[in-house]
């Protein structure tokens, strides 16, 4: 409990420091909110020209976008700053973490928190609420269970992507763009109908990095749709297994990276 209190104290101090400069904090929130609205508007504009894409109309894709964006934004708020690890590695800052008697990953996760990301989560939540209202959903116990599983498991899947990428940075050091293609590319892919993905993308973001489980598969399951051959709707029940798999991948990448690291040489 003492260790947890220390982490809470660190995070609380960082949140207070961000709120101290109120104008800058509001500006950060506003800019983050604007980015989220623009991304949602892109989806809406696309569906004004084409009624259906991949078997989904605008109402259905709002549900996909809302689930995927909300869960990813919450994960981004909690562990998104793990993508600053390359900076720590180059500066030798990560060596200080090794001197403290706390787990290295927990230190990295609690080293910062960006409250501006709450605005992105707000956009995702709004899209999710609208998607739940405008779609004709048969509220069976099974459909409710799928949605209840989708949110925490989607957060876990998205958070694991950051941890996986952080572990890879111990080898790449200055190659954040390589992992961002999967982390942020996965975020974008998750907000789109997976039924239009080519087979290689379905294998990549459906099973290796299971981003389809964060938005698309729960949506087709609760709407009673079949889904494509490689990603049938019944796979939505395997969302906890997908979250477990990607965390095994992430922790394996992290442990391998930590063992590989030999210091900054300072």
């Amino acid at each position: 409990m003492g260790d947890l209190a220390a982490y809470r104290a660190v995070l609380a101090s960082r949140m207070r420091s961000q709120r101290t400069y109120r104008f800058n904090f509001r500006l950060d929130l506003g800019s983050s909110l604007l980015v989220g609205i623009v991304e949602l508007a892109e989806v809406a504009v696309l569906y004004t020209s084409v009624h259906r894409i991949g078997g989904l109309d605008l109402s259905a894709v709002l549900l996909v976008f809302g689930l995927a964006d909300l869960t990813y934004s919450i994960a981004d708020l909690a562990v998104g700053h793990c993508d600053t690890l390359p900076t720590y590695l180059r500066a030798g800052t990560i060596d200080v973490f090794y001197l403290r008697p706390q787990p290295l990953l927990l230190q990295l996760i609690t080293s910062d928190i960006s409250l501006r990301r709450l605005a992105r989560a707000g956009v995702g939540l709004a899209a999710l609420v609208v998607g739940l209202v405008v779609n004709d959903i048969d509220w069976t116990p099974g459909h409710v269970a799928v949605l209840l599983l989708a949110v925490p498991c989607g957060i876990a899947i998205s958070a694991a992507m950051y941890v996986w990428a952080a572990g890879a940075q111990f080898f790449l050091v200055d190659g954040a763009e390589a992992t961002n293609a999967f982390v942020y590319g996965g975020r974008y892919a998750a907000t789109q109908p997976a039924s239009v993905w080519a087979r290689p993308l379905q294998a990549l973001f459906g099973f290796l990095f299971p981003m389809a489980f964060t938005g698309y598969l729960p949506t087709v399951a609760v709407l009673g749709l079949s889904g494509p051959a490689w990603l049938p709707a019944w796979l939505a029940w395997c969302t906890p297994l997908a979250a477990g798999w990607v965390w095994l991948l992430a922790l394996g990448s992290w442990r391998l990276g930590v063992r590989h690291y030999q210091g900054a040489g300072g």
Side-chain angles (χ1 to χ4, degrees):
M1 292 299 293
D3 288 343
L4 291 178
Y7 291 129
R8 287 197 299 268
V10 169
L11 290 175
S13 67
R14 296 191 182 280
M15 288 188 286
R16 285 195 300 270
S17 68
Q18 292 179 48
R19 296 196 305 269
T20 299
Y21 301 96
R22 295 184 180 180
F23 177 76
N24 286 343
F25 178 60
R26 291 169 183 169
L27 188 63
D28 285 343
L29 281 177
S31 61
S32 182
L33 179 64
L34 181 60
V35 170
I37 291 174
V38 168
E39 289 186 356
L40 181 57
E42 288 178 357
V43 175
V45 168
L46 182 62
Y47 277 83
T48 57
S49 302
V50 181
H51 181 61
R52 283 182 177 270
I53 298 177
L56 301 184
D57 58 11
L58 178 58
S59 298
V61 87
L62 276 176
L63 195 53
V64 175
F65 183 95
L67 281 170
D69 203 55
L70 173 63
T71 55
Y72 204 106
S73 296
I74 294 174
D76 191 17
L77 172 67
V79 301
H81 50 276
C82 285
D83 60 10
T84 61
L85 183 61
T87 303
Y88 291 167
L89 290 172
R90 291 193 299 270
T93 310
I94 196 69
D95 292 4
V96 178
F97 290 6
Y98 278 87
L99 301 177
R100 299 169 182 163
Q102 285 95 17
L104 186 65
L105 181 57
L106 280 179
Q107 289 188 68
L108 179 63
I109 289 173
T110 57
S111 63
D112 197 6
I113 187 169
S114 297
L115 293 179
R116 68 178 184 275
R117 291 164 176 161
L118 285 170
R120 291 296 302 274
V123 174
L125 179 60
L128 175 59
V129 171
V130 173
L132 291 174
V133 171
V134 299
N135 282 286
D136 184 17
I137 300 175
D138 182 14
W139 291 105
T140 64
H143 290 167
V144 173
V146 166
L147 287 174
L148 291 178
L149 283 174
V151 174
C153 291
I155 295 171
I157 290 170
S158 300
M161 292 292 288
Y162 280 105
V163 176
W164 163 80
Q169 293 308 314
F170 284 103
F171 297 92
L172 301 174
V173 181
D174 203 19
E177 292 81 4
T179 54
N180 286 349
F182 300 100
V183 177
Y184 295 103
R187 175 179 193 158
Y188 179 77
T191 60
Q192 309 299 317
S195 49
V196 301
W197 297 349
R199 286 292 173 87
L201 281 180
Q202 288 185 7
L204 178 64
F205 290 124
F207 299 100
L208 180 59
F209 302 122
M211 300 307 298
F213 287 82
T214 64
Y216 176 75
L217 284 172
T219 295
V220 295
V222 300
L223 294 181
L225 304 176
S226 58
W230 278 32
L231 293 170
W234 61 263
L235 277 179
W237 290 102
C238 299
T239 301
L241 295 178
W245 151 247
V246 74
W247 265 105
L248 284 176
L249 182 66
L251 293 177
S253 170
W254 178 260
R255 289 175 63 88
L256 191 62
V258 170
R259 290 180 180 178
H260 170 78
Y261 183 67
Q262 296 182 5

